[in-house]
Amino acid sequence: MSEHHDHHQDDTPHASFSGYMIGFLLSVFLTAIPFWLVMGGVFESKGTTAVIILAFAAVQVVVHMIYFLHMNFHSEGGWNMLSLLFTAVLLFITLFGSLWVMYNMNVLMMPGMM
Amino acid sequence: MSQSVAANTNLNFIARDHHAPNGTLFGFWLYLMSDCLIFAALFATYGVLSQSYAGGPTGAELFDLPLVALNTAFLLFSSITYGFAMLQMQQGKRQGTMIWLAITGLLGAAFLAVELYEFSHLLHVGAGPQRSAYWSAFFTLVGTHGLHVTIGLIWLVTLLVQLKKHGLIPENRRRLFCLSMFWHFLDVIWIGVFTFVYLMGSMA
């Protein structure tokens, strides 16, 4: 399949039509369902809907990483993945740390405003 | 890259002053990761201020979800058309690469147009960034993403000119690849925006 490759293309990951199409179709489903859940008011409970659409978003991020950004454990000898995981850890700490700390500050120190 | 081959030709590499393979691409990836942290901070800010309406309008009252769905579709389609441009590049077809790149640019411009329309509507009904902490955080987060798309568009047009003048030379292939990472990365951020800001905001 890669006979027509000349040498200077070897440093970029090889993309394929089927890979992009799989990623695209998965993304369409993973985008359409959360919009439908919210716009159609499918579930009574807002908490349930929120958990489900967050899960869909997380899966879609992984789909984009694999099929569009060609992420794997081999590229750059694993450094791509390592830096991504490091970023994900920082992202988690920043997001959930901020929300957790600030929520408790509000509850404990300004009970009248909640 | 085979390790043994690389080791055997190590001296040749130095003698020919060869770039480290993927040096630029890995560096650009690290830039994207640091950019991701900027967005992490903005998402955290938005999350913390997500109830701070100061008596003003809420997101749930003003968000137009069909419009957001349209915008999401524009960005998702632009991701796949950029993918097609990369496939054309792999086959060494300059014309095809440029056509798909131009289509990607048009979809990106459509996204920006819809976003600017939405922003002007929000400003018009008095939900500007100065109205409350919530709208400040909203405009900072969504605006920063929009700014990234704008810069991506400028980069894309620049690359079209480069391709027209020089064709698919190794430098342009590298640039196309960096922009593809940038463009797909913006789509990943948008997943967070439409889920966290628009969908969850509409339920609040």
Side-chain angles (χ1 to χ4, degrees):
Chain A
M1 156 160 202
S2 56
E3 256 77 56
H4 60 279
H5 256 198
D6 36 299
H7 67 281
H8 55 250
Q9 283 168 306
D10 286 346
D11 58 355
T12 56
H14 187 81
S16 69
F17 178 75
S18 59
Y20 278 119
M21 283 318 284
I22 292 169
F24 177 70
L25 291 176
L26 282 174
S27 297
V28 169
F29 277 111
L30 291 167
T31 303
I33 292 172
F35 269 95
W36 170 65
L37 288 179
V38 173
M39 290 167 81
V42 176
F43 293 110
E44 289 288 320
S45 156
K46 283 175 179 171
T48 313
T49 314
V51 169
I52 292 175
I53 65 173
L54 281 177
F56 270 99
V59 174
Q60 199 184 345
V61 167
V62 175
V63 166
H64 277 239
M65 286 286 169
I66 294 172
Y67 291 103
F68 291 160
L69 284 162
H70 313 299
M71 187 43 76
N72 57 53
F73 285 98
H74 317 298
S75 59
E76 308 288 350
W79 286 103
N80 260 344
M81 186 55 88
L82 196 66
S83 54
L84 177 66
L85 292 177
F86 178 62
T87 308
V89 170
L90 289 183
L91 197 97
F92 181 82
I93 295 171
T94 312
L95 267 176
F96 287 88
S98 302
L99 292 173
W100 182 47
V101 169
M102 294 310 286
Y103 174 76
N104 281 292
M105 291 258 284
N106 277 334
V107 170
L108 297 173
M109 301 183 74
M110 298 196 290
M113 289 187 67
M114 289 308 289
Chain B
M1 275 282 157
S2 156
Q3 294 292 324
S4 57
V5 172
N8 289 338
T9 56
N10 208 7
L11 284 173
N12 279 336
F13 265 113
I14 296 165
R16 285 189 277 123
D17 191 25
H18 200 83
H19 271 286
N22 293 348
T24 308
L25 298 184
F26 183 55
F28 194 76
W29 178 256
L30 287 184
Y31 153 69
L32 287 181
M33 292 300 99
S34 66
D35 214 15
C36 201
L37 295 181
I38 293 178
F39 280 105
L42 294 177
F43 272 111
T45 310
Y46 175 84
V48 166
L49 298 173
S50 62
Q51 311 290 324
S52 311
Y53 304 117
T58 68
E61 291 163 10
L62 294 180
F63 288 153
D64 187 359
L65 282 188
L67 204 64
V68 179
L70 178 72
N71 240 358
T72 306
F74 280 145
L75 218 51
L76 193 54
F77 271 105
S78 82
S79 254
I80 187 79
T81 55
Y82 203 110
F84 291 155
M86 294 301 284
L87 293 174
Q88 293 288 312
M89 184 195 86
Q90 278 182 350
Q91 293 165 13
K93 292 176 182 161
R94 172 167 74 166
Q95 196 70 25
T97 311
M98 289 179 67
I99 289 170
W100 283 113
L101 212 55
I103 294 172
T104 307
L106 287 176
L107 287 166
F111 169 86
L112 271 183
V114 171
E115 186 156 88
L116 287 174
Y117 165 76
E118 185 203 16
F119 280 6
S120 70
H121 174 72
L122 289 173
L123 289 171
H124 183 70
V125 297
Q130 73 277 23
R131 180 60 190 84
S132 63
Y134 173 81
W135 288 108
S136 299
F138 169 85
F139 276 97
T140 312
L141 173 57
V142 183
T144 304
H145 178 271
L147 198 63
H148 276 76
V149 176
T150 311
I151 291 167
L153 274 182
I154 295 170
W155 188 359
L156 193 146
V157 171
T158 314
L159 265 183
L160 276 177
V161 176
Q162 292 267 9
L163 279 172
K164 183 83 189 159
K165 281 182 77 171
H166 304 295
L168 288 168
I169 54 175
E171 288 81 356
N172 276 347
R173 287 171 187 270
R174 193 180 65 221
R175 289 162 188 154
L176 276 168
F177 204 86
C178 282
L179 181 58
S180 98
M181 287 198 282
F182 188 70
W183 201 259
H184 293 312
F185 168 76
L186 290 183
D187 206 6
V188 171
I189 299 293
W190 184 253
I191 298 170
V193 173
F194 80 70
T195 304
F196 205 55
V197 176
Y198 289 104
L199 291 181
M200 292 184 69
S202 293
M203 295 190 301

